[in-house]
Structure formats: C-alpha cells, structure tokens
C-alpha cells in the first residue's frame, strides 16, 4: 500500500462524508470535498484548516445527478490538489416508499442518486486512475445490500446491492488485468447520521465518530470489502444472507 495523501469525498457536507473529512484531515491528508451545499462545505473547510493548518482543502459545488458536472468537478479537483490518490463515492439518498403505493417519484430519485450517479462518479474516478495507472476507488454501500428488504427500504436496498456489484466488477477487472488500482466496498451498519434517523431506537446504532473511525481504518488498509463496524455487522451480515426471507423482512 502507498500512502494516499490526496482524497476526494463526495457528499461531504454532512453525515458520513463530513465525518470522514475530519478523520482524514487529522491524519494529515489533503482533501477535495464536494456536495451541493457549498455553505456547509466552506464552514467545514474553515473548521478543518483551523485544526490542521498544514493541509490543503479544496471545495467545489457538485450535484451528483448532473452527470456532466461530475466529470468536470472531479477533473477540476484533481487539478486543485495536483492529483488524486483516492476517491470516495459517498453521496447518497435514503428516500423510499413501498413499491406500488404511489411513491415512484421518491423511489426513482433514490435509484438515480444511489446508483446512476454513483456510476458516473466511478466512471470519472476510474478515468483519472487509469490515466495515471494508480489510485484507490472506495464505494460506500450499506448492510442493506445483503438482501432484498421490504417497505420503504426496497429501492434503497436494491441500489446498494447494485453499487456493491458495480464496485466488485471494477475490482475484478483490475485484479485480472494486474492494474495497480485498488477498489474497496464498505457496507456500513447503523451509524448515527441524517439518513439513520429511522434507526434511532435500535441497540445496533453506532455513533458517527466510532462508525467512521472503523470505516477509515478499513479504507486505509485498502480492504476489498468490509462490513463496518465489524461487531455486530459481520455476524449480522451472515444472518441476513442465510436466514429465511420472512425473518429478514420481519426484523428489517
């Protein structure tokens, strides 16, 4: 593994992306942060530079559903930092309605943001990495990707299963070709963010600080695939894969 000094994070204005930015900054990494809410990015940038004045933090506005903008912003941030070592595809959406109940617009928005926009981000990142023949692509999936889930989670789980398969396919190609580009897929469990408010009463909920710390550790080790935090999500993942669907549906 080589030290990944220049890291791009999408969806960095809140939640996991915001906390990852703080954690990587504390490790001395230069950051390229993008999201729609540039006011929050600027505030985060000021906070980080006050705490860690020796690093570089570049910020740019990005709506990941604007596919052309994804490519433009990734290339601009690469130029801002003088290169990119790692790209973390993190931006996502948690809206959802049971299928067939009139919630198609919300489900479509989630599908477009969580999969189609993630595809655009992977394309833009891999274009840069292929040109320089190095890099580390990180895709933030979810434990929801383990099985099809009911009710408001149906579309969300399907999109996360899709991005997990997308990342694995890219990893398979890099491995088969011997190209020195690492690909990591993270499957976070319940971590306290804006998207996890519905899980607030579960005993499995992990604080943002602890959850992101385990995520960053897995990223830095360039793990191909990781369920984070490992406890309890490694055994929970096994159960989700192997329990009868009716039980998974009951407890999800």
């Amino acid at each position: 593994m080589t030290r990944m000094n220049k890291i791009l994070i999408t969806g960095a204005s809140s939640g996991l992306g915001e906390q990852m930015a703080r954690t990587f900054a504390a490790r001395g990494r230069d950051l390229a942060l993008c999201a729609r809410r540039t006011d929050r990015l600027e505030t985060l940038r000021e906070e980080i530079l006050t705490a860690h004045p020796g690093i570089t933090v570049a910020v740019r506005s990005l709506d990941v559903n604007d596919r052309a903008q994804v490519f433009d912003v990734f290339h601009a941030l690469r130029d801002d930092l003088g290169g990119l070592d790692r790209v973390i595809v993190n931006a996502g959406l948690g809206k959802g309605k049971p299928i067939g109940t009139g919630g198609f617009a919300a489900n479509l928005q989630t599908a477009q943001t969580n999969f189609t926009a993630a595809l655009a981000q992977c394309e833009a990142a891999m274009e840069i990495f292929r040109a320089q023949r190095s890099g580390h692509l990180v895709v933030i999936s979810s434990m929801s990707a383990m099985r099809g889930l009911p009710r408001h989670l149906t579309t969300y789980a399907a999109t996360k299963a899709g991005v997990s398969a997308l990342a694995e396919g890219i990893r398979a190609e890099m491995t088969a070709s011997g190209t020195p580009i690492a690909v990591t897929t993270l499957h976070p469990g319940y971590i306290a963010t804006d998207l996890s408010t519905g899980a607030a009463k579960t005993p499995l909920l992990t604080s943002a600080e602890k959850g992101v710390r385990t995520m960053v550790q897995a990223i830095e080790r360039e793990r191909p695939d990781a369920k984070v935090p490992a406890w309890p999500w490694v055994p929970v993942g096994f159960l989700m894969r192997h329990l009868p669907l009716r039980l998974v549906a009951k407890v999800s």
Side-chain angles (χ1 to χ4, degrees), residues 7 23 72 87 93 98 125-126 137 145 155 195 218 220 226 234:
I7 304 173
T23 304
D72 291 342
V87 171
L93 192 63
M126 289 300 296
L137 175 67
T155 300
L195 289 181
E220 293 277 68
V234 169

Side-chain angles (χ1 to χ4, degrees), residues 8-85:
L8 185 156
I9 305 173
T10 67
S13 62
S14 63
L16 298 178
E18 180 180 18
Q19 191 61 33
M20 280 191 286
R22 293 190 180 101
T23 304
F24 280 118
R27 294 179 175 227
R29 308 300 196 266
D30 292 332
L31 300 174
L33 308 178
C34 48
R36 288 179 301 164
R37 294 175 290 186
T38 52
D39 56 332
R40 296 191 58 158
L41 287 179
E42 291 291 351
T43 299
L44 178 60
R45 180 178 183 274
E46 292 176 9
E47 173 198 323
I48 289 173
L49 290 178
T50 298
H52 311 285
I55 69 171
T56 299
V57 181
V59 300
R60 286 184 180 260
S61 174
L62 175 63
D63 178 352
V64 294
N65 285 304
D66 184 335
R67 282 160 258 174
Q69 189 186 36
V70 168
F71 288 84
D72 291 342
V73 169
F74 275 39
H75 284 89
L77 286 169
R78 175 200 60 191
D79 294 343
D80 289 343
L81 293 191
L84 287 175
D85 300 315

Side-chain angles (χ1 to χ4, degrees), residues 114-115 118 139 141 144-145 155-169:
N114 289 2
F115 185 77
V139 175
S141 181
S144 300
T155 300
Y156 179 80
T159 64
K160 291 304 185 178
V163 295
S164 293
L166 175 65
E168 186 173 47

Side-chain angles (χ1 to χ4, degrees), residues 149-233:
L149 298 180
R151 300 179 292 277
H152 66 287
L153 291 172
T154 302
T155 300
Y156 179 80
T159 64
K160 291 304 185 178
V163 295
S164 293
L166 175 65
E168 186 173 47
I170 299 169
R171 186 185 312 118
E173 181 184 350
M174 296 301 101
T175 301
S177 65
T179 306
I181 298 172
V183 182
T184 293
T185 311
L186 290 189
H187 295 93
Y190 292 140
I191 297 175
T193 68
D194 296 342
L195 289 181
S196 65
T197 53
K201 296 181 180 180
T202 177
L204 301 179
L205 187 68
T206 303
S207 70
E209 291 77 9
K210 178 182 177 182
V212 169
R213 184 170 64 250
T214 64
M215 292 173 65
V216 168
Q217 288 169 350
I219 291 170
E220 293 277 68
R221 293 170 185 162
E222 297 182 10
R223 295 270 301 276
D225 184 282
K227 300 172 181 64
V228 289
W231 175 260
W233 295 105

